C-alpha cells in the first residue's frame, strides 16, 4: 500500500491559500478603483503600435 505524501498535500494547501489571498487583494484593488498589481505586459517580439491617422490630420495635410 502506498504511503500518503504529506509534503505534496501541504504544498497544494499553501498554493491554494496563496492563490486565494492574491485574488482577494486583486478584488480589493478593483473595488477601490486603484490600478491593480497587474500591469500591461508588452511583448518585445511584437512591433510597437503606430497610431492611425485621424481625419483631422489628413485635412491639415500632415505627412505620415
Amino acid at each position: 500500500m502506498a504511503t500518503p505524501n504529506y509534503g505534496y498535500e501541504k504544498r497544494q494547501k499553501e498554493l491554494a491559500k496563496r492563490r486565494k489571498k492574491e485574488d482577494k487583494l486583486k478584488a480589493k484593488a478593483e473595488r477601490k478603483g486603484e490600478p491593480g498589481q497587474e500591469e500591461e505586459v508588452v511583448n518585445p517580439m511584437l512591433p510597437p503600435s503606430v497610431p492611425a491617422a485621424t481625419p483631422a490630420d489628413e485635412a491639415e495635410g500632415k505627412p505620415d
Side-chain angles (χ1 to χ4, degrees):
M1 186 166 155
T3 60
N5 188 349
Y6 294 112
Y8 177 79
E9 292 175 13
K10 182 177 181 182
R11 177 75 177 143
Q12 293 303 310
K13 188 184 245 186
E14 290 173 353
L15 289 173
K17 193 182 288 188
R18 183 182 302 162
R19 199 173 311 122
K20 185 176 180 181
K21 185 176 181 180
E22 289 173 357
D23 290 343
K24 285 178 88 172
L25 288 174
K26 184 179 176 185
K28 184 177 180 181
E30 288 175 358
R31 281 195 309 266
K32 283 188 173 182
E34 296 176 357
Q37 292 179 355
E38 292 183 36
E39 295 180 3
E40 184 177 331
V41 178
V42 178
N43 188 345
M45 301 302 288
L46 296 177
S49 61
V50 179
T54 61
D57 292 339
E58 294 173 2
E60 292 178 10
K62 290 183 181 179
D64 289 331

